[in-house]
Amino acid sequence: MKCKVCRGPAIAQFPAHNANFCERHFDEFFMRQIEKAIRRYKMLQPGERCLVAVSGGKDSLIVVDVFHRLGYDVEGLHISLGIAENDFAGESLAVCKDFLAERGLTLRVFDVKEAFGITVPEAGRRFPRFCALCGMTKRYLMNAEAWRAGMVLATGHNLDDLSSALLANIFRWDVRYLAKNLPVLPEGDGFARKIKPLALLTEREIATYAAIHSIRVVQARCPYAAEASFPKYKQLINGVEEESPGTKRLFYEGYIKHAGLFEAQARAEYQLQPCAVCGMPTSAPVCSFCKTWRRGQG
């Protein structure tokens, strides 16, 4: 197996691109894909500051690494949820601290227990689905921290994440989420601009980058991961991708072209107003975050 560029020994084969790459030319390919996504979707402008939500997993850490290599003004944000099982919270925070410190970058840490007196697992006792609570909490805090700091918010969502979420939301015809599955969501009215620099890169491509750069990631597994619903949709779309390489990207890029069809309907169905407690935008008098974490306030 030879590299498509230099004809030297290749480290991996990528059928969706009809290409094999050696380490050097894979790295160049990977960086080029992210730079193209940034330009194509106008993710960042010169001089803008970017806050990357980091969990300790490879996707978010790679966003930090690549943005740092490209010269962007970047910081990390870690939401500590207080999940003690498997030392998940402790190891996740330690990995993020070490990774940012090695690059001389700032890591902001939001500790849910310190802020609200209880952890996410403790709050989950009164919530029907733990993963839904965790996701809602992280989304709110990431947006609030970026909005208040006047920064662009970047997450590590990749092509596998976005295409499987798209498939799941099409099965349910969930217009609200179909309108928000884009690689860039604009800022305004309490929302920071949200960008997904890995939107056109697969988990396999990201894992290859992590391997050649020896990126250390958290090994502890979230004890609640079995609740997540998207893995079954990933299995479905991975089966199609195996038979027809490039399907994920075609599927997702096709959605981007037609996402406007869902945006108008979503705006009509979900009118936003300031939350009576925190002032952040919500479709209800009090947002879900405040109902969960700020009971008795407002």
Side-chain angles (χ1 to χ4, degrees):
M1 188 167 64
K2 295 182 178 181
C3 174
K4 178 181 180 180
V5 181
C6 67
R7 309 309 295 168
I11 58 167
Q13 184 177 26
F14 301 96
H17 302 282
N18 192 28
N20 311 320
F21 293 110
C22 65
E23 282 194 10
R24 174 192 165 192
H25 289 114
F26 173 78
D27 185 65
E28 291 178 0
F29 160 80
F30 192 92
M31 296 292 287
R32 193 163 57 246
Q33 291 296 305
I34 292 183
E35 288 181 288
K36 283 181 179 178
I38 292 170
R39 290 194 303 269
R40 180 177 177 183
Y41 300 115
K42 299 179 176 60
M43 292 185 177
L44 284 170
Q45 302 302 321
E48 287 187 315
R49 299 161 60 225
C50 185
L51 187 64
V52 181
V54 289
S55 63
K58 62 182 182 301
D59 300 331
S60 57
L61 295 180
I62 284 173
V63 174
V64 171
D65 188 65
V66 170
F67 275 18
H68 182 53
R69 289 177 64 188
L70 292 174
Y72 287 105
D73 185 354
V74 60
E75 296 181 17
L77 169 67
H78 180 72
I79 310 295
S80 185
L81 303 170
I83 301 174
E85 294 94 327
N86 306 333
D87 192 30
F88 183 74
E91 186 185 346
S92 299
L93 177 57
V95 167
C96 292
K97 281 184 174 179
D98 290 347
F99 192 87
L100 274 290
E102 287 168 3
R103 289 154 180 79
L105 300 174
T106 299
L107 176 66
R108 303 176 182 222
V109 179
F110 190 103
D111 190 303
V112 171
K113 174 77 171 180
E114 288 183 7
F116 303 110
I118 57 173
T119 65
V120 169
E122 289 167 341
R125 294 170 188 161
R126 58 175 185 250
F127 214 83
R129 287 183 60 244
F130 181 88
C131 284
L133 166 65
C134 184
M136 177 272 292
T137 301
K138 289 190 291 187
R139 285 191 300 272
Y140 178 96
L141 291 174
M142 290 186 300
N143 176 69
E145 291 293 303
W147 172 255
R148 289 165 186 155
M151 300 175 77
V152 177
L153 176 66
T155 61
H157 293 92
N158 60 48
L159 182 58
D160 291 63
D161 299 325
L162 296 170
S163 60
S164 59
L166 175 58
L167 184 62
N169 290 323
I170 286 176
F171 278 168
R172 294 193 292 262
W173 286 112
D174 193 328
V175 174
R176 186 178 185 183
Y177 286 100
L178 284 170
K180 300 194 301 182
N181 205 36
L182 290 159
V184 176
L185 293 174
E187 69 272 20
D189 297 326
F191 290 112
R193 188 187 323 147
K194 299 174 181 65
I195 64 174
K196 304 177 181 78
L198 305 181
L200 301 181
L201 288 159
T202 66
E203 287 184 354
R204 185 163 178 265
E205 291 158 356
I206 291 163
T208 302
Y209 182 95
I212 67 175
H213 288 279
S214 301
I215 291 177
R216 182 174 74 90
V217 301
V218 62
Q219 298 299 310
R221 180 172 172 80
C222 176
Y224 303 97
E227 285 189 19
S229 59
F230 283 161
K232 60 188 176 186
Y233 296 104
K234 282 190 178 182
Q235 290 177 1
L236 283 172
I237 202 162
N238 281 341
V240 178
E241 178 76 14
E242 189 173 341
E243 293 294 326
S244 302
T247 296
K248 288 178 190 174
R249 185 157 178 163
L250 286 172
F251 180 49
Y252 184 64
E253 289 184 321
Y255 154 76
I256 293 172
K257 293 177 182 177
H258 297 95
L261 297 173
F262 306 108
E263 290 174 12
Q265 186 175 343
R267 282 195 299 270
E269 291 184 10
Y270 299 94
Q271 299 291 327
L272 298 180
Q273 59 188 324
C275 170
V277 176
C278 69
M280 298 298 279
T282 178
S283 58
V286 176
C287 71
S288 297
F289 183 88
C290 289
K291 286 178 183 176
T292 303
W293 295 100
R294 295 182 173 125
R295 288 187 170 196
Q297 298 182 33

